[in-house]
Amino acid sequence: MVKAFCSCLLLLMSAGYLHAQEDVSMRNTFYLGAGSANSDGAFENDDTPFSLGFTHQLVNSKMVVGFDIAGEGTMLDSTWGRDERPKRGTSFNLLLGRNMVDSGRFRADAALLLGVREAAKDCPDSYIGWRCYADRDPETDYKGNFGGVLTLSFDGFALGLRATGESTQVLAGLRF
């Protein structure tokens, strides 16, 4: 699934390089984020969510594409002899959006976030200390992950907000 996600992203990004007549500087944004979890139950993870992302504006277009990997939400872990222990899940997300304002030094982008996040890991218990019986990989269940990303940048510095059903995060990054 991750290979297919990366392949789609590379295809979308490479499509923008077919028309190289326009200046391609300052079209990329790399960001890191941290914030608060949207949880309030006893069986929900309250660890600080974080994210790592990249966006790119296609050449001769206002379309912005990117990807995002985050530690957010609750994943119920039934490995290492535990029974549904709440842990932070990992999400893999695709960003599709549009450049709203670009005055050279100032830029504003908005993107829809679509992806999947870990919801549960389960496997038969090991009797000799492995994570799973016979050192097998656990089965992982995924749920959809939806939200939005807004970035504002001035010169090479970017600030933003990332909101999903699992977390709300403040972003800081670089535009290059």
Side-chain angles (χ1 to χ4, degrees):
M1 177 180 286
V2 174
K3 280 186 179 181
F5 172 76
C6 291
S7 297
C8 289
L9 181 62
L10 289 174
L11 182 66
L12 283 171
M13 289 177 66
S14 66
Y17 289 108
L18 295 177
H19 301 52
Q21 297 101 6
E22 192 176 314
D23 180 28
V24 294
S25 64
M26 304 298 274
R27 294 185 163 275
N28 303 305
T29 304
F30 173 77
Y31 65 82
L32 298 170
S36 63
N38 297 343
S39 63
D40 56 359
F43 292 105
E44 293 189 25
N45 176 57
D46 292 327
D47 293 344
T48 301
F50 64 91
S51 60
L52 171 73
F54 175 81
T55 62
H56 171 76
Q57 181 182 351
L58 300 177
V59 177
N60 294 330
S61 173
K62 291 209 175 257
M63 184 174 182
V64 174
V65 297
F67 64 91
D68 178 291
I69 298 172
E72 65 182 342
T74 299
M75 188 242 337
L76 299 177
D77 187 4
S78 295
T79 61
W80 297 103
R82 295 183 181 105
D83 187 28
E84 295 189 351
R85 177 178 174 240
K87 288 180 63 178
R88 180 175 39 219
T90 302
S91 67
F92 305 94
N93 308 293
L94 180 63
L95 302 172
L96 298 171
R98 185 173 195 281
N99 170 254
M100 308 305 276
V101 175
D102 190 352
S103 66
R105 294 183 74 189
F106 178 77
R107 176 186 173 106
D109 295 328
L112 180 65
L113 181 144
L114 303 166
V116 295
R117 68 173 180 82
E118 294 174 324
K121 281 190 179 183
D122 190 19
C123 62
D125 292 342
S126 171
Y127 302 107
I128 57 174
W130 286 331
R131 176 171 60 168
C132 298
Y133 180 76
D135 202 24
R136 289 188 286 171
D137 289 333
E139 293 180 18
T140 304
D141 294 331
Y142 292 91
K143 287 186 177 179
N145 197 39
F146 308 99
V149 175
L150 174 67
T151 56
L152 305 172
S153 55
F154 185 74
D155 287 335
F157 184 69
L159 290 175
L161 182 66
R162 178 187 184 275
T164 67
E166 302 302 319
S167 69
T168 304
Q169 300 179 31
V170 174
L171 308 175
L174 301 172
R175 187 176 87 174
F176 55 97

Short mmCIF file of all heavy atoms in Angstrom, two decimals, residues 20 22 33 43 60 111 123 131 138 140 151-152 160 165-166 170 173:
data_model
loop_
_atom_site.label_atom_id
_atom_site.label_comp_id
_atom_site.label_asym_id
_atom_site.label_seq_id
_atom_site.Cartn_x
_atom_site.Cartn_y
_atom_site.Cartn_z
N ALA A 20 8.77 22.88 -18.50
CA ALA A 20 9.83 23.51 -17.72
C ALA A 20 10.09 24.95 -18.12
O ALA A 20 11.13 25.48 -17.82
CB ALA A 20 11.11 22.69 -17.84
N GLU A 22 8.59 27.64 -16.97
CA GLU A 22 8.38 28.54 -15.84
C GLU A 22 9.46 28.32 -14.77
O GLU A 22 9.97 27.22 -14.60
CB GLU A 22 7.00 28.27 -15.25
CG GLU A 22 6.56 29.31 -14.26
CD GLU A 22 5.14 29.06 -13.80
OE1 GLU A 22 4.29 28.79 -14.64
OE2 GLU A 22 4.93 29.13 -12.58
N GLY A 33 5.34 19.18 12.26
CA GLY A 33 4.21 19.65 13.03
C GLY A 33 4.09 18.94 14.37
O GLY A 33 4.56 17.82 14.53
N PHE A 43 -9.67 4.64 26.66
CA PHE A 43 -8.97 3.74 25.75
C PHE A 43 -8.47 4.47 24.52
O PHE A 43 -8.40 3.91 23.44
CB PHE A 43 -9.88 2.58 25.35
CG PHE A 43 -10.18 1.67 26.50
CD1 PHE A 43 -11.41 1.70 27.12
CD2 PHE A 43 -9.21 0.82 27.00
CE1 PHE A 43 -11.69 0.88 28.19
CE2 PHE A 43 -9.47 -0.01 28.07
CZ PHE A 43 -10.71 0.02 28.67
N ASN A 60 3.46 25.52 -14.08
CA ASN A 60 2.37 26.05 -14.91
C ASN A 60 0.99 25.69 -14.37
O ASN A 60 0.05 25.51 -15.13
CB ASN A 60 2.48 25.58 -16.36
CG ASN A 60 3.70 26.13 -17.05
OD1 ASN A 60 4.16 27.23 -16.72
ND2 ASN A 60 4.25 25.39 -17.97
N ALA A 111 -4.69 22.49 1.29
CA ALA A 111 -4.74 21.14 0.72
C ALA A 111 -5.68 20.25 1.53
O ALA A 111 -5.79 20.39 2.76
CB ALA A 111 -3.35 20.52 0.68
N CYS A 123 -1.80 -10.26 16.96
CA CYS A 123 -1.16 -11.50 16.56
C CYS A 123 -1.22 -12.48 17.72
O CYS A 123 -1.40 -12.07 18.87
CB CYS A 123 0.28 -11.27 16.13
SG CYS A 123 1.35 -10.61 17.42
N ARG A 131 7.59 -10.59 19.74
CA ARG A 131 6.39 -9.76 19.65
C ARG A 131 5.18 -10.61 19.31
O ARG A 131 4.09 -10.40 19.83
CB ARG A 131 6.61 -8.69 18.58
CG ARG A 131 5.40 -7.84 18.33
CD ARG A 131 5.67 -6.67 17.44
NE ARG A 131 6.15 -7.07 16.14
CZ ARG A 131 6.26 -6.27 15.10
NH1 ARG A 131 5.91 -5.01 15.22
NH2 ARG A 131 6.71 -6.69 13.96
N PRO A 138 2.71 -8.85 12.87
CA PRO A 138 1.31 -8.75 13.30
C PRO A 138 0.41 -8.30 12.15
O PRO A 138 0.87 -7.67 11.20
CB PRO A 138 1.35 -7.69 14.40
CG PRO A 138 2.56 -6.89 14.12
CD PRO A 138 3.54 -7.82 13.45
N THR A 140 -2.23 -5.79 10.77
CA THR A 140 -2.54 -4.39 11.06
C THR A 140 -3.83 -4.00 10.36
O THR A 140 -3.99 -4.25 9.17
CB THR A 140 -1.40 -3.48 10.59
OG1 THR A 140 -0.17 -3.91 11.19
CG2 THR A 140 -1.65 -2.03 10.97
N THR A 151 -0.90 26.24 4.76
CA THR A 151 0.43 26.78 5.02
C THR A 151 0.53 28.21 4.50
O THR A 151 0.04 28.51 3.41
CB THR A 151 1.56 25.93 4.39
OG1 THR A 151 1.34 25.82 2.99
CG2 THR A 151 1.63 24.56 5.02
N LEU A 152 1.14 29.06 5.27
CA LEU A 152 1.44 30.43 4.90
C LEU A 152 2.95 30.58 4.97
O LEU A 152 3.56 30.18 5.96
CB LEU A 152 0.78 31.42 5.87
CG LEU A 152 -0.73 31.29 6.05
CD1 LEU A 152 -1.20 32.19 7.18
CD2 LEU A 152 -1.46 31.61 4.76
N GLY A 160 1.94 26.94 9.53
CA GLY A 160 0.66 26.42 9.07
C GLY A 160 -0.12 25.72 10.15
O GLY A 160 0.26 25.70 11.32
N GLY A 165 -9.33 14.31 11.98
CA GLY A 165 -10.22 13.81 13.02
C GLY A 165 -9.47 13.31 14.24
O GLY A 165 -10.07 13.08 15.29
N GLU A 166 -8.16 13.14 14.14
CA GLU A 166 -7.35 12.60 15.23
C GLU A 166 -6.52 13.64 15.95
O GLU A 166 -6.15 13.44 17.11
CB GLU A 166 -6.41 11.51 14.68
CG GLU A 166 -7.13 10.37 14.01
CD GLU A 166 -8.13 9.68 14.93
OE1 GLU A 166 -7.81 9.48 16.11
OE2 GLU A 166 -9.23 9.37 14.46
N VAL A 170 0.18 22.53 14.83
CA VAL A 170 0.80 23.72 14.30
C VAL A 170 2.01 23.24 13.51
O VAL A 170 2.77 22.38 13.95
CB VAL A 170 1.23 24.67 15.44
CG1 VAL A 170 2.01 25.84 14.90
CG2 VAL A 170 -0.01 25.14 16.20
N GLY A 173 8.03 25.17 8.90
CA GLY A 173 8.84 24.55 7.87
C GLY A 173 9.60 25.54 7.01
O GLY A 173 9.69 26.73 7.34
#
